[in-house]
Amino acid sequence: MRHLEQELVSLRQDVIDMWRLVISQVSNAGEAILSFDKDLAAKVSLREKKVDAYELKIDGFCENIIALYQPVAIDLRFVLAVFKINSNLERIADFANGISHILVNNPSVILDAEVILDTRLQVMINQVNKMLAQGLEAFENEKSNFAAAIFSEDSQVDEINEKSVQVIADYIQKNPDRAYECLELIGIFRKLERIGDHCANIAEEIFFYIDAKVLKHSPKDKK
Amino acid sequence: MLTIDAKNVDFYYSEFHALKNISLEVEKNKVVALIGPSGCGKSTFLRLLNRMNDLIPGTRMTGSVLFEGEDIYAPNVHVDELRKKVGMVFQKPNPFPKTIFENVAYGLRVNGIKDETFIEQRVVESIKSAALWDEVKDKMKKSAFALSGGQQQRLCIARALAISPKVVLMDEPASALDPISTAKIEELIYELKKDYTIIIVTHNMQQASRVSDKTAYFYLGEMIEFDETTKIFTNPKEHSTQNYVTGRFG
């Protein structure tokens, strides 16, 4: 194996490792919120630094590969895609950390089971976890079609987010003393919705890397 | 009108089938790079464009090569006339054992030009076009061998430009040069394409990607892919091209 190929294999492994860490961060943050598990939320916050360290390492790796090896064609697309996937994964982990912070910083927050059910919070958490895993599967196997579903799933996530606003507003009217918790809940939905957007960005990068297709700012049914 | 239009070219060195059904169109004022592993036929193809292969015994060609619409292999074509329009620069600088001035004036003199004022004017213009003037203006009467390798190669380019060709063929023009001289040649190619059409054979893929508008990838005598250079180096159509440009093959 040539030197460049060895470097690309190492870079790929770092991205996969980071991806798995981010999946566990999102999954744990979701679980922590649904089960009001403050210890688990604290663990997510603690591991955020590890994600940041991966981001810096992968950034430096990409920079070195471009400077030293001048990759072209699929190698160049791989490095460019990784550069952006890296940044998207880091943002996703930030949101997972933000969700955990809501529990860690506000020990009194207890969400009503009724509002969690009506807003479909659990469905949304499951959905973004699924999207992240699909992205990783597509990246690991170099199969862009594994990432194709992410775009429609992102739309479903957006829809849950939009509908949650009305549900939460109705709940506040009925339970004005719970307004503070409800505002925090809206924050959680916003973060999950942004995680969905970043998963879609990652899927675009996977199509760019594997199929050399630019899907950014275009209707995704054209892929 | 296309500057070069090669159609269904096959070429043989005796029994060896060196080029297989090559068709390639070159537009005016464009730089085309020919890349591929050793023995793929890229230099053979380049030399066909000003009939340098005519000199090799036992060779034959089928198909046609048009220069500005005229078949350069037609019986009435004078090779000397063709080479005035299609100049060539070789891998190793090959200045004549003459002064810097006389090297560049040589092509004009053998073409019967006697007007010394015109010759001087053309020599200066050509040396300026070859980005060499500042380095040699005070030593025009010195031997060309006193120049560095990079300067000698630019002198050879000036010599090719002096007779006002329309096309300049370059066969690995920077492969014997250091990085600074290579960069100067590459800058020069970029400048020259305003006035000339350039076809360059190179083993250096970064050089091909830096200097050319279009790139042709040759392999085992076939032209596998010919496309915009940006396309060849970001998303080539053929797997074989990708393997070559990424260094996985060859």
Side-chain angles (χ1 to χ4, degrees), chain A residues 6-216:
Chain A
Q6 287 172 8
E7 295 287 299
L8 295 175
V9 166
S10 303
L11 174 60
R12 173 186 296 275
Q13 193 52 53
D14 278 344
V15 175
I16 290 169
D17 292 345
M18 179 188 187
W19 211 312
R20 290 192 177 129
L21 176 62
V22 172
I23 286 175
S24 84
Q25 289 288 83
V26 173
S27 155
N28 286 338
E31 200 185 322
I33 280 292
L34 290 171
S35 58
F36 307 108
D37 185 339
K38 293 182 180 61
D39 292 338
L40 189 55
K43 274 183 195 162
V44 171
S45 294
L46 219 63
R47 288 203 296 183
E48 166 68 5
K49 279 193 182 127
K50 214 172 161 188
V51 177
D52 291 346
Y54 266 119
E55 190 202 14
L56 293 175
K57 184 182 179 193
I58 290 169
D59 266 356
F61 217 150
C62 291
E63 188 183 348
N64 288 346
I65 287 176
I66 290 170
L68 302 180
Y69 302 98
Q70 296 98 41
V72 297
I74 193 164
D75 296 342
L76 175 64
R77 299 202 306 272
F78 174 75
V79 176
L80 293 176
V82 160
F83 199 68
K84 292 189 185 174
I85 288 171
N86 183 36
S87 159
N88 278 286
L89 285 175
E90 193 276 332
R91 291 298 296 137
I92 290 171
D94 272 352
F95 288 122
N97 188 36
I99 290 169
S100 299
H101 261 272
I102 291 172
L103 269 186
V104 174
N105 294 343
N106 304 290
S108 64
V109 169
I110 304 260
L111 296 167
D112 194 321
E114 181 196 336
V115 75
I116 287 179
L117 192 68
D118 290 349
T119 52
R120 302 175 71 207
L121 178 62
Q122 180 150 17
V123 176
M124 196 170 184
I125 289 170
N126 291 344
Q127 190 76 286
V128 297
N129 278 323
K130 187 175 157 196
M131 291 160 76
L132 262 174
Q134 283 168 329
L136 176 58
E137 195 186 3
F139 181 82
E140 271 191 293
N141 294 290
E142 297 183 358
K143 300 269 187 208
S144 56
N145 57 320
F146 289 3
I150 292 174
F151 301 117
S152 59
E153 286 161 353
D154 182 38
S155 304
Q156 290 163 23
V157 166
D158 290 347
E159 197 186 322
I160 295 173
N161 178 51
E162 281 163 26
K163 287 186 176 164
S164 72
V165 176
Q166 190 58 55
V167 174
I168 294 169
D170 291 347
Y171 185 84
I172 292 174
Q173 278 187 336
K174 284 184 217 156
N175 307 279
D177 57 317
R178 307 300 302 275
Y180 178 77
E181 282 87 346
C182 285
L183 289 174
E184 294 285 31
L185 183 60
I186 286 176
I188 292 169
F189 273 96
R190 286 262 162 80
K191 289 177 174 64
L192 289 169
E193 189 271 328
R194 292 297 297 136
I195 289 176
D197 289 345
H198 284 287
C199 287
N201 292 347
I202 288 173
E204 288 172 354
E205 294 307 321
I206 290 170
F207 273 91
F208 170 71
Y209 151 45
I210 297 166
D211 300 337
K213 285 183 183 167
V214 177
L215 300 181
K216 207 173 275 189

Side-chain angles (χ1 to χ4, degrees), chain A residues 2 70 72-75 77 212, chain B residues 233-235 242 245-248:
Chain A
R2 289 176 318 122
Q70 296 98 41
V72 297
I74 193 164
D75 296 342
R77 299 202 306 272
Chain B
F233 285 91
T234 58
N235 180 26
Q242 173 149 294
V245 297
T246 57
R248 286 181 173 76

